[in-house]
């Protein structure tokens, strides 16, 4: 049986581009990686060689102009996402784009309008939705296993803070870190966030505060389904990457723990202990990166809507804006037509 | 060696009075139960018989007038606490009083002033401070084991809601339920709460909302030590009494789980499961009720300050008032000289 | 309502006698401690004073001759158990006796015959049957929750070896330590052990081997119900007292873990750890010691058979003998009429 | 940089052959799959197409005669292993061979002699040594983390029994199932098994007993390092594939648990539960199959000895023979020059 394979062009051969490129090239039989482009030509060439890809370059335009290409993976720097979405949509290519789409709603809305007009598929890279733990929680809610949600907690802490230059450019903790959790909250609950309150603190490194950002935060959310919940963020947890969720429903509760390199328990004369959890997102979320691309490829090939939409990409940014405003004003902020 | 034993009079032979009376009579060699008083004379007589106590009655005044009595345990209804504290202090008796002292600060302040003037000991019945799990968390913070606290979560859910008449009289969820958690938050952090924000919801029973109360709540706290934290309350968790805490510090984290009737894990063709946790405070906190009275008896006999002070009793009420105000105003409320 | 209380005499005021004496005196309203006897008169007096008991002495005969006494608790040294059972039975007293009854079957059989003839109740002190974890496992088997048992593992390790003089007099590891596990195996399975094989080793202290004993052992058992199982013993586990069981049945499995002083999990930059388990039998089995005496008192008062019989006491010794023989011969030993 | 890649021929395109073929073709950059051979030509063609391999056939001889081939993976039926090892060795090819090498020592010894004579590398497919859990246990022993081993337990249970025809041909439970555990025991302890005793039972399906085999077994082992241990096998565990190990050492203990599809804990009004463990070896040991081939490829390319030797393959069979003899004789069997 001969099946059509999706021809994919990769824009951006950095850390996450390498992950996606390898996944398409090795693990997804329904797709074929046909282009690798990066501003750093050597990086593009190296990845292309590793993946057995013939077409290499530095110009995204060449990919978009290539009639062989069905879809592009936008893995470039954030400031180029919205523009590349617009151009790819105009070229009739399906689009997988890393989050966030942009930091301003104007750019996002223009990009989404272009996608809508072109009738192409757009999927945003909220990979955690495809993680086995979090999708199990979603299933418990969606299937009614725990009935109506009442309370939710997301704990999301990094092993250590990023370089201070990154903090300066990233748009702040709500946009470089919590954005994943805002999406997780909406995904798990299956509805919109209606109201946000946030406390922020600088507890890890005063330099982060001096750069105008927070390194520790508690965000409280009211959902359209009547539930309430929190997100707990810290830029440093000495024991490693801490990624957990729990939800209380009217007929039960579900919680997920961290993932570990092994299941060993070691006992000695002092403690009963285990090794530290998997140490940061490339190890922790390896599987989810592969599954999200499978999902994208299948959605495009079957003509069904992607599992993570442009609207999802937009709303995570909107909730982040509301959280930022709440910290500034010390008040709960409603998410309404103002956003 | 002959040691002096503390002669104790019990005021109130209801559910919690029975617990305290039995503890003094059976488990605390340094104390002796000499009086049992209750408005229901039969209840007083039954408990006195069970504990081998000779003096029984319905009038607290008789206990306070008895020169044999060193200390009283106030286990009567909440509306009598403040007045009985004042009278016991005036009579020169040491006092153990169940929480809350009162629902208004005027009564509390008058009672605390009376205690101060009389120079007697006053301990408030925040028994959870004496629980092995929570005291382990406190130790981790006080000893520097996890270094400077950054984030804290308290989960405190009841197995089911109280009768609706109780809800009408109790002063609301923040005063009948969260009051324990407000004290826990202060106890664990070892400092005051400076600011409070709260979201409330009615998710369990509309009748609770009609009675003007909440049954589900998220309270966010800012502490004087710079940490931030949440309290998660629900009047119903179908799996039982849920009492957990976790704290992230700059050099580690600590979390405590629920207590269970056994450690069994059962596997069948469908799940890997365990039995439900211990089902409500009389089972879950049995040990802590005993230890808190030991602590009180020892404090009085040794002349050292009680481990839970009148100020602790007052501040839990103050934080509750701030939380109530926050829900009403949708704003963060600072706890300052206004309280 | 006036209920008859069981008048109990305590023979032996050593470590375990103190535990039982206090339980009867304080926690079991249906019983009354009326005598304390010990070869060390001061020890007897001290315990009697602590428990409010008037009759004190050094002669068990005085207790057995006292018509007020309904039952005796034999907590003396092992070599006196069988004889005291015979004498107490002859005096018409109900008997609770610490294990083992004796190290030789002749003494045991004579004692059991005396009990049978006198028609008194005899309960052997296999307290672990009354532990919440192990009784949960028994319930899973007895109720059919895991259906037909196939495989069983008992892990039973001490925190450290006893003094070498104790090892010399104790009859060896199978009689001073494994005897509890032999009873546990029979209790959990609800049937007899039919065949035994054992490997022994000296891995903790060569002095134990020089004293003719083992400090590490693996015993394999065949049960009358067709299941097979192991007992794992070591006289030293540096992390503390290790008491676990697991059973595989045709429709599921059940396992129980150790008990801990708290449920805290502490994370730091090196490990995720918890505190060591409860550290030896007085802490670990506190509750079971109380429950076994309640069981005895109720059995006697209601005229129902004790939950742990003289036959149970005998069979644990028999299995121990077979295990000893297996180590000597390197062969599986059948338990039949030869024992 | 141009590195030499190991050219690999695959003999056998069945279940395990597919796994190894895909691993070489996709995940191990240092190797290249150049041949696929199977008695079922269609199966060989399908796998070759999937892996992009040009040379396909039904005759292993063609692979052995191909000078391009550096190494072969023997994934054919067990009865052909020893002969193919001999032929591959004679052809100067390095060899990775699935376990067991054979069921009789003559064939094994002839194969190992051929390998020795030819000076090629031979690695046996004991993939579990490369599992993250078990290698963590090995590390704890090898590094001295728990000091001198005293007691070991291996639990190894299948989710359900194989077809009865498989049981008839497999050589029995000790050779088709326990053989992995015999190797695991030797691997973890880092020394030889010196003595074996085994109890067997038919508890799952009488048809297995009628076929002359066991479905439930307890094997006890004495190791050259003085430790003792058990292996617990059952051909059916209704909750799924159960693969655990624990080791007690003189300075600590280590245990590993099963692997699960997610870390979720679900609570409802009846239990606190989690989903069943990963359901059989292809899911449970996915990673280890990949890592063992990486290990083989690296060993050959670097000229270092394989991590699992022909001697390892032989000894697992020897211990199985001793266990079988022990069941037949009811005696402990020493493993000496007789094997």
């Amino acid at each position: 049986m001969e099946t059509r394979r999706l021809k994919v062009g990769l824009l951006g051969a950095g850390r996450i581009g390498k992950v996606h490129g390898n996944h398409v090239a090795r693990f997804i039989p329904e797709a074929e990686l046909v282009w690798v482009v990066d501003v750093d030509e050597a990086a593009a060439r190296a990845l292309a060689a590793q993946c057995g890809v013939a077409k290499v370059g530095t110009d995204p335009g060449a990919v978009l102009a290539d009639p062989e290409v069905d879809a592009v993976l936008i893995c470039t720097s954030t400031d180029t996402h919205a523009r590349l979405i617009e151009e790819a949509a105009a070229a009739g290519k399906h689009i997988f784009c890393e989050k966030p789409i942009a930091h301003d709603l104007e750019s996002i809305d223009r990009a989404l309008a272009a996608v809508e007009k072109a009738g192409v598929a757009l999927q945003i890279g909220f990979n955690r939705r495809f993680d086995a733990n979090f999708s199990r929680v979603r299933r418990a809610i969606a299937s009614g296993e725990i009935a109506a949600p009442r309370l939710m907690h997301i704990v999301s802490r990094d092993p250590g803070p990023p370089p201070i230059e990154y903090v300066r450019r990233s748009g702040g903790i709500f946009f470089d870190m919590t954005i994943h959790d805002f999406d997780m909250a909406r995904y798990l609950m299956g509805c919109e966030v209606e109201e946000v309150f946030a406390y922020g603190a600088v507890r890890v490194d005063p330099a982060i505060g001096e750069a105008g950002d927070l390194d520790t935060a508690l965000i409280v959310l009211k959902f359209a389904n009547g539930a309430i919940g929190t997100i707990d963020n810290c830029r440093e947890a000495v024991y490693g990457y801490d990624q957990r969720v729990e939800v209380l429903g009217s007929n039960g509760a579900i919680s997920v723990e961290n993932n570990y390199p092994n299941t060993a328990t070691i006992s000695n004369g002092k403690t009963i202990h285990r090794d530290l959890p998997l140490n940061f997102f490339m190890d922790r979320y390896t599987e989810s990166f592969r599954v999200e691309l499978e999902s994208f490829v299948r959605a495009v090939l079957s003509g069904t809507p992607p599992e993570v939409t442009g609207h999802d990409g937009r709303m995570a940014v909107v909730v982040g804006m509301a959280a930022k405003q709440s910290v500034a004003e010390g008040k709960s902020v409603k998410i309404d037509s103002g956003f």
Side-chain angles (χ1 to χ4, degrees), chain A:
Chain A
M1 187 189 72
E2 181 67 17
T3 51
R4 191 172 75 82
R5 297 174 81 193
L6 192 75
K7 305 292 177 69
V8 174
L10 174 67
L11 310 183
R15 185 168 58 175
I16 195 65
K18 277 180 198 154
V19 171
H20 291 322
N22 270 286
H23 282 149
V24 169
R26 292 176 198 279
F27 300 108
I28 306 179
E30 301 95 334
E32 188 181 345
L33 189 64
V34 297
W35 260 105
V36 177
V37 159
D38 197 278
V39 289
D40 174 351
E41 189 173 347
R45 291 215 171 274
L47 182 59
Q50 190 185 351
C51 295
V53 170
K55 303 178 183 176
V56 190
T58 59
D59 174 22
V63 180
L64 299 181
D66 185 341
E68 186 194 16
V69 171
D70 297 312
V72 291
L73 312 181
I74 303 177
C75 303
T76 51
S77 62
T78 297
D79 57 332
T80 66
H81 288 179
R83 184 178 50 81
L84 284 172
I85 289 176
E86 283 188 75
E87 294 176 9
K93 310 302 188 192
H94 299 291
I95 304 159
F96 176 93
C97 181
E98 275 303 309
K99 48 93 240 168
I101 303 177
H103 288 148
D104 65 297
L105 294 185
E106 293 71 20
S107 303
I108 294 175
D109 289 343
R110 210 161 48 224
L112 298 196
V115 167
E116 173 107 34
K117 187 176 157 209
V120 296
L122 168 64
Q123 180 169 328
I124 306 303
F126 285 124
N127 61 293
R128 296 184 193 178
R129 292 188 178 209
F130 300 91
D131 175 74
N133 292 341
F134 298 124
S135 59
R136 181 65 182 82
V137 178
R138 173 61 194 147
R139 210 155 66 236
I141 294 174
S143 69
E145 188 175 358
I146 61 166
R150 292 176 180 172
L151 284 159
M152 182 204 72
H153 294 286
I154 295 175
V155 170
S156 175
R157 301 166 184 165
D158 282 355
I164 199 74
E165 305 81 52
Y166 176 86
V167 169
R168 283 203 190 93
R169 291 178 298 101
S170 76
I173 191 170
F174 295 141
F175 295 96
D176 72 38
M177 189 170 165
T178 328
I179 194 150
H180 270 296
D181 308 309
F182 291 138
D183 183 66
M184 183 54 60
R186 293 180 64 251
Y187 164 65
L188 293 179
M189 285 295 166
C191 70
E192 297 298 342
V193 171
E194 292 195 330
E195 204 173 324
V196 180
F197 177 85
Y199 273 153
V202 178
R203 300 287 289 160
V204 176
D205 184 354
I208 294 175
E210 288 155 22
D213 197 11
L214 307 164
D215 54 36
T216 305
L218 276 178
I219 303 106
V220 221
L221 308 164
K222 268 193 186 171
F223 295 93
N225 63 7
I228 49 182
T230 66
I231 296 169
D232 160 322
N233 284 156
C234 191
R235 287 198 184 276
E236 180 192 68
V238 294
Y239 50 87
Y241 199 39
D242 194 355
Q243 299 280 303
R244 290 171 289 138
V245 154
E246 69 170 274
V247 183
L248 171 70
S250 55
N251 200 33
I254 184 165
S255 63
V256 290
E257 290 301 312
N258 287 315
N259 285 6
Y260 288 82
N262 59 61
T263 66
T265 300
I266 307 105
S267 303
N268 59 31
K270 292 202 179 143
T271 64
I272 311 295
H273 60 280
R274 69 178 305 175
D275 294 341
L276 294 179
L278 290 176
N279 186 51
F280 216 12
F281 69 97
M282 297 298 269
D283 291 324
R284 169 65 184 83
Y285 288 119
T286 309
E287 182 83 356
S288 70
F289 285 121
R290 187 178 57 71
V291 181
E292 73 168 348
L293 268 217
E294 280 179 5
S295 166
F296 172 67
V297 168
R298 281 171 196 166
V300 173
L301 287 177
S302 66
T304 51
E307 293 192 65
V308 195
T309 67
H311 174 70
D312 293 327
R314 183 186 195 277
M315 288 313 296
V317 173
V318 163
V319 181
M321 288 171 167
K324 197 168 177 178
Q325 183 181 331
S326 172
V327 169
E329 300 179 356
K331 290 195 301 197
S332 186
V333 174
K334 289 201 162 58
I335 294 174
D336 50 20
S337 55
F339 289 101

